[in-house]
Amino acid sequence: MTDAISSFGAVGRPASIHTDDAAKARLKGRYRTEKWFKWLGAAAVALAGLFLVLLLSTIVTQAIPALRQNYVTLPIDLSAAKVDPAKLDEVNYDAIAQEALTAKFPDVTSRQDKRLLRGLISTGTGVFLRKDIAADPGMLGGTVDYAVPLDDFADLYLKGLLADVGSDEAISTSVTPSGTSGDIDLTFGDDAMLALARGHGATEGENGMFTLTSGASSLLVAFNGGTVKLTSLSPAANGTVIAKGTVIEALDSTAPAASGQAFLRVIETPEASRKISDKVIVWLDTLKSAGLIESRFNSIFFFTGASREPELAGVWGAVVGSFLTMIVTLAIAFPIGVSAAIYLEEFAPKNRLTTMIEVNINNLAAVPSIVFGLLGLAVFLNFFGMPRSAPVVGGMVLALMTLPIIIIASRASLRAVPPSIREAALGIGASKVQTVFHHVLPLAMPGIMTGTILGMAHALGETAPLLMIGMVAFIVDIPGGFTDPATILPVQIFMWADFPEAGFQQKTSAAILILLVFLVIMNAIAVILRRRFERRW
Amino acid sequence: MKKFLLTASAAALALAASAGYAAARDQIQIVGSSTVFPFTTAVAEKLGQSGKIKTPVVESTGTGGGMKLFCQGVGENTADFTNASRAIKDSELKTCKANGVTPVEIKVGFDGIVLANSKAGTVVDLTKEQVFKALAKNVAVDGKVVPNPYKNWSDVDASLPATKIEVLGPPPTSGTRDAFVELVMDAACQEEVKAANEKGCGEIREDGAFVEAGENDNLIVQKLEANPNAFGVFGFSFLDQNADKLQGHKVDGVEPTFENIASGDYGVSRSLFVYAKKEHVGVIPGMQEFIAEYTSDAAWGPDGYLADKGLIPLPDAERAKSAENAKALKGMGS
């Protein structure tokens, strides 16, 4: 006995397969795998988060400039001589506004310059004026100060998106002009300007002369109440520099400006590579320094319909169109979807036919959305002869697309209601219909609502099915009913992204932001419903 | 709940029914080319602003799709105008006629197709032959037709830079692509290639040197900005609006500028059209007003607002003639 024990003790505990070296290595390996997986998961989440932040910050920074619009306040002459109160519709309001603008710049005389100047204000000015006068006839009879929206290029320049403009710097030498308008010579007291011109891309010619072509930065000298654009500079006697320049805004006098009295303004982006000329920049700066330009909240963007002019384009038409379409979708998809789910889940016999239907509904949820558009074109437009581009047709097509999603979600939440509820209701004598509608459906409702809202959010972001039925269209008028032509937000975004004008880039981002806000709100409602009303059994 | 369901279904039914009783259309419907779309929309908006008629609805369906919708027949459910970036085809005119549609052709202007790259890249002077050699699927080398062997521009012609051939352009569904193929590839086609395969001239290489960048020209502009070595093929209006970022290349020694395209010196330009449905004049309100607005000098003239949008106006005489035909509603094939 003792032998046995001692012999057993001598052998010691047999090396277990759980503790030997190989096992330890295996264990370590398993821990390592787990650690790796955790790390990979965390890295994936971090990467996704990074991209999300990148995407959102790009959209938001692009969208911010679109939220404000610059206006110029002009004295508009609405006296009886210009505007006949009896014939308000026949007045050319654009011309009146343009006259008020050209009156601010009496020096501008050439036809081409006048055209350029008139282009500073939006082409929609006349429309705004007519509307405001119709609303408030008290404006008539005299001159009123009226804020006019600026054209998209002027607006983008003032937002700093079109050209790199340096700040005004005082010139630390005297400047003597040879005239007040046209092409003149400027004499600078020292040669600091030469180095400056070289630094800004001027081409060096013979005798140390520098020419500023349209490929170089623009150098503007402002003094004596005017502005001169330098075209070339050459060294002269006594270390002075003689510069040739074109007067953009007439000087008051030929009196020399003392050191520190003249200002140099450098526009880094060469004139050839921007859509806005030096003249326009000078005019805008003059208006701005006169305190006539004001940046306002961009109500045009939020409360008007589409337009081909970036400064007049708004999302309201698309928002209303989306709203009308969604109402139709909800009114069709929700009752039909929920009823179908109730029938299939509670009443339908379980046989081969219902199984087939079930499989097909599940498959339908995975059908590409453009197919529903083709169906809409073939059935609603061609067969029933419904109007093109109408929200009612769009809503019906989207309802077809959302139906399977609602049915699947509703069935899942009906199934989640425990049988005890049904049995109790039936036990106290309720009929099958009473059981379902009084007891089961109310308990399943939060889940159904969540599914419906998510389905609707999905439909809100859809464009493909609407392409076929004519809702991808340029529509200016805000739709007033279900059969008026309308477009929707995602389509508006798609179209703006495709327009060549630079001003639409910011509008696109701002519209994306609005769509995102709607989607976040809808998803938040779904989450809240789930949290508040969902019951766990 | 039951009540809610009932009311909701009733509302849905009522909605569906109301659509059937849509009142007579009082708004012009326009379909067609995405190239003409920016111009037609501008005219539509101007007309709407004047308050005379409701703003027309303009859809961008592509030239071919627009023709199909336009020639479908006469009646409220068919389009009143269609935009086209090429003249109507004989087969399309036949369909139109068969369905009782008389199109009135309005030639509205020109559009140039440009080859451009980022300002950071180099400017080159190309000939159509060089473009063909760089982009065709099959080219002739030493008299034999072989799959395009050229990798760099310098392989095509020693005067060109030694950078990789990388051209972003529109997909085959686009009217711009059709015009590009017709005006450059077909025009400069090598005899051997044509002899080997009747349609071989229009085939563009698919080995990565030509990248189909989608219908959205703004995307091409952004990609060109990011890659100075890549060239892009797109409409002149995008070059015009992005003059701060892009530079156009000379083709056959002519620079793609507004003036050169208008005068016809620049070889890669095409005409743009709008077709009106004669049968709808007097039935759908505003048809004549729309034609009058489009053909007014304030719109399509050299100083008109369409020129600001990038449309290149017709020469004065041709413009006057086109306007006259349009206002007289001179139908085609009648």
Side-chain angles (χ1 to χ4, degrees):
Chain A
M1 195 68 183
T2 42
D3 279 358
I5 290 169
S6 62
S7 70
F8 187 81
V11 174
R13 277 170 66 207
S16 156
I17 53 158
H18 298 298
T19 50
D20 62 7
D21 286 346
K24 277 184 190 147
R26 274 201 306 275
L27 190 65
K28 216 170 157 191
R30 267 153 57 194
Y31 277 127
R32 197 167 52 228
T33 316
E34 186 181 327
K35 209 193 244 165
W36 259 109
F37 189 74
K38 272 188 184 165
W39 270 106
L40 276 177
V45 170
L47 194 67
L50 185 75
F51 279 123
L52 182 69
V53 168
L54 207 68
L55 175 78
L56 281 180
S57 56
T58 320
I59 294 177
V60 170
T61 43
Q62 281 245 350
I64 284 173
L67 301 182
R68 298 194 80 81
Q69 161 79 28
N70 287 297
Y71 285 76
V72 57
T73 308
L74 295 172
I76 308 275
D77 184 4
L78 296 176
S79 60
K82 297 267 182 195
V83 182
D84 182 353
K87 293 178 189 160
L88 283 181
D89 280 345
E90 289 169 24
V91 180
N92 186 351
Y93 295 103
D94 278 314
I96 297 177
Q98 284 164 356
E99 241 168 69
L101 180 66
T102 36
K104 292 263 174 214
F105 296 94
D107 300 338
V108 179
T109 46
S110 82
R111 203 183 77 89
Q112 210 173 6
D113 284 356
K114 274 193 171 167
R115 194 173 130 81
L116 210 56
L117 183 58
R118 284 198 297 267
L120 278 189
I121 55 174
S122 166
T123 49
T125 305
V127 181
F128 288 118
L129 255 176
R130 186 168 58 208
K131 217 184 284 170
D132 283 350
I133 289 173
D136 176 21
M139 285 167 76
L140 291 175
T143 302
V144 287
D145 279 338
Y146 186 81
V148 172
L150 284 170
D151 190 57
D152 53 330
F153 279 116
D155 185 51
L156 286 176
Y157 164 72
L158 288 168
K159 285 170 182 166
L161 296 169
L162 271 194
D164 284 339
V165 181
S167 55
D168 287 355
E169 274 173 54
I171 296 172
S172 58
T173 181
S174 65
V175 182
T176 319
S178 68
T180 57
S181 63
D183 289 335
I184 61 168
D185 286 347
L186 295 181
T187 313
F188 290 93
D190 66 19
D191 60 0
M193 288 301 288
L194 281 180
L196 222 141
R198 187 188 291 128
H200 285 105
T203 19
E204 195 164 357
E206 284 170 30
N207 304 331
M209 184 168 130
F210 284 93
T211 318
L212 288 153
T213 56
S214 63
S217 305
S218 296
L219 301 184
L220 305 175
V221 180
F223 64 103
N224 290 357
T227 309
V228 181
K229 182 193 172 186
L230 303 187
T231 49
S232 69
L233 300 106
S234 40
N238 306 330
T240 61
V241 167
I242 292 186
K244 290 199 184 307
T246 313
V247 177
I248 294 182
E249 255 187 310
L251 309 174
D252 295 337
S253 69
T254 53
S259 164
Q261 293 292 305
F263 293 89
L264 177 73
R265 165 154 248 217
V266 182
I267 301 161
E268 301 282 355
T269 324
E271 193 170 17
S273 14
R274 52 181 140 91
K275 286 292 286 180
I276 189 162
S277 68
D278 289 332
K279 276 182 193 156
V280 174
I281 289 182
V282 169
W283 290 332
L284 282 172
D285 289 345
T286 310
L287 287 174
K288 197 174 180 187
S289 56
L292 292 172
I293 288 179
E294 176 191 10
S295 166
R296 290 190 188 174
F297 169 71
N298 195 348
S299 57
I300 299 174
F301 176 69
F302 288 97
F303 301 114
T304 61
S307 170
R308 278 295 285 124
E309 304 300 328
E311 76 275 9
L312 300 177
V315 287
W316 188 241
V319 169
V320 173
S322 275
F323 181 71
L324 292 173
T325 311
M326 285 301 118
I327 288 181
V328 177
T329 306
L330 187 66
I332 294 173
F334 185 70
I336 297 181
V338 175
S339 315
I342 292 173
Y343 176 74
L344 286 175
E345 197 59 38
E346 304 285 339
F347 295 95
K350 296 271 175 282
N351 56 26
R352 198 172 280 178
L353 182 71
T354 47
T355 319
M356 269 263 291
I357 293 176
E358 199 180 322
V359 169
N360 275 307
I361 288 175
N362 288 338
N363 284 344
L364 213 53
V367 166
S369 53
I370 187 88
V371 175
F372 290 101
L374 287 166
L375 182 82
L377 175 70
V379 176
F380 299 134
L381 294 191
N382 292 348
F383 189 70
F384 287 117
M386 288 176 141
R388 256 184 106 76
S389 316
V392 62
V393 182
M396 283 155 80
V397 169
L398 291 177
L400 292 181
M401 204 191 75
T402 338
L403 258 180
I405 302 176
I406 294 184
I407 295 177
I408 292 169
S410 304
R411 289 189 69 177
S413 48
L414 284 171
R415 214 175 300 142
V417 177
S420 55
I421 303 281
R422 294 183 186 85
E423 280 151 19
L426 291 172
I428 56 167
S431 72
K432 192 85 197 264
V433 170
Q434 282 173 324
T435 307
V436 171
F437 283 94
H438 294 180
H439 300 281
V440 179
L441 189 58
L443 289 170
M445 219 50 198
I448 294 178
M449 292 294 240
T450 313
T452 309
I453 292 173
L454 293 183
M456 297 295 288
H458 184 191
L460 181 65
E462 232 8 285
T463 50
L466 303 181
L467 193 73
M468 292 291 153
I469 55 163
M471 286 186 84
V472 180
F474 175 76
I475 292 158
V476 174
D477 298 335
I478 289 159
F482 292 103
T483 51
D484 284 355
T487 187
I488 55 166
L489 261 176
V491 169
Q492 191 70 79
I493 292 168
F494 168 72
M495 286 201 313
W496 282 351
D498 212 8
F499 282 147
E501 287 86 359
F504 277 115
Q505 275 176 22
Q506 288 83 37
K507 301 265 167 174
T508 309
S509 296
I512 290 173
L513 218 54
I514 291 178
L515 184 63
L516 279 181
V517 167
F518 276 119
L519 290 176
V520 166
I521 289 175
M522 285 174 82
N523 281 293
I525 293 174
V527 169
I528 290 169
L529 278 176
R530 200 158 50 212
R531 279 284 170 81
R532 275 189 68 95
F533 298 108
E534 194 172 48
R535 291 184 65 166
R536 300 214 169 269
W537 312 94
Chain B
M1 192 76 259
K2 195 172 166 187
K3 247 187 199 160
F4 173 72
L5 278 181
L6 278 177
T7 9
S9 346
L13 273 178
L15 268 175
S18 74
Y21 298 106
R25 189 148 63 80
D26 58 352
Q27 204 164 11
I28 294 178
Q29 275 185 354
I30 305 169
V31 293
S33 162
S34 53
T35 312
V36 191
F37 179 77
F39 311 125
T40 302
T41 45
V43 175
E45 190 185 353
K46 264 273 154 14
L47 198 58
Q49 280 178 355
S50 73
K52 275 181 248 166
I53 60 165
K54 272 178 133 178
T55 315
V57 172
V58 191
E59 271 181 65
S60 157
T61 62
T63 303
M67 283 295 174
K68 217 171 136 195
L69 288 166
F70 180 78
C71 292
Q72 217 171 36
V74 176
E76 251 174 54
N77 288 322
T78 58
D80 307 314
F81 290 90
T82 184
N83 300 320
S85 54
R86 54 163 170 78
I88 190 168
K89 287 182 190 162
D90 287 343
S91 58
E92 288 163 346
L93 189 59
K94 213 177 272 172
T95 320
C96 261
K97 286 276 164 198
N99 292 329
V101 176
T102 318
V104 177
E105 185 178 77
I106 311 167
K107 193 173 175 186
V108 295
F110 298 117
D111 179 37
I113 297 172
V114 297
L115 264 160
N117 69 350
S118 152
K119 285 231 153 148
T122 45
V123 195
V124 292
D125 191 345
L126 292 162
T127 64
K128 284 186 185 174
E129 284 72 26
Q130 288 166 351
V131 177
F132 177 85
K133 272 172 139 183
L135 296 180
K137 193 171 178 190
N138 296 304
V139 291
V141 178
D142 302 331
K144 264 186 254 156
V145 177
V146 293
N148 198 327
Y150 305 119
K151 293 269 176 268
N152 290 336
W153 285 100
S154 50
D155 300 342
V156 173
D157 191 294
S159 68
L160 297 173
T163 49
K164 215 174 104 201
I165 298 175
E166 202 177 353
V167 178
L168 303 164
T173 47
S174 152
T176 312
R177 167 78 166 258
D178 288 347
F180 178 72
V181 165
E182 186 194 327
L183 295 166
V184 180
M185 305 300 281
D186 286 350
C189 192
Q190 291 164 319
E191 288 303 323
E192 294 90 336
V193 177
K194 202 183 271 174
N197 179 0
E198 194 59 30
K199 285 186 177 158
C201 300
E203 285 179 17
I204 290 185
R205 63 199 290 187
E206 284 155 359
D207 57 357
F210 183 86
V211 185
E212 281 171 14
E215 295 265 11
N216 187 330
D217 287 351
N218 266 338
L219 266 180
I220 300 187
V221 172
Q222 280 173 22
K223 285 178 187 161
L224 289 181
E225 245 190 296
N227 181 357
N229 287 328
F231 288 18
V233 175
F234 44 82
F236 172 75
S237 51
F238 281 83
L239 178 65
D240 189 38
Q241 292 286 345
N242 293 289
D244 51 336
K245 299 171 197 145
L246 304 177
Q247 56 193 2
H249 300 301
K250 284 184 187 170
V251 174
D252 289 340
V254 185
E255 221 179 320
T257 60
F258 190 89
E259 292 75 20
N260 286 342
I261 299 172
S263 66
D265 290 342
Y266 183 72
V268 199
S269 68
R270 56 175 161 170
S271 306
L272 303 178
F273 299 89
V274 171
Y275 291 90
K277 197 175 275 180
K278 195 174 180 180
E279 284 75 13
H280 281 190
V281 175
V283 179
I284 305 291
M287 293 282 291
Q288 267 153 326
E289 284 88 340
F290 184 80
I291 295 173
E293 174 70 31
Y294 219 129
T295 55
S296 69
D297 263 358
W300 73 351
D303 288 334
Y305 56 83
L306 292 181
D308 291 342
K309 295 265 169 235
L311 179 78
I312 293 155
L314 300 171
D316 289 347
E318 204 176 336
R319 210 167 60 239
K321 205 175 133 231
S322 185
E324 198 179 302
N325 283 351
K327 280 178 191 149
L329 298 170
K330 205 169 140 196
M332 294 182 79
S334 53

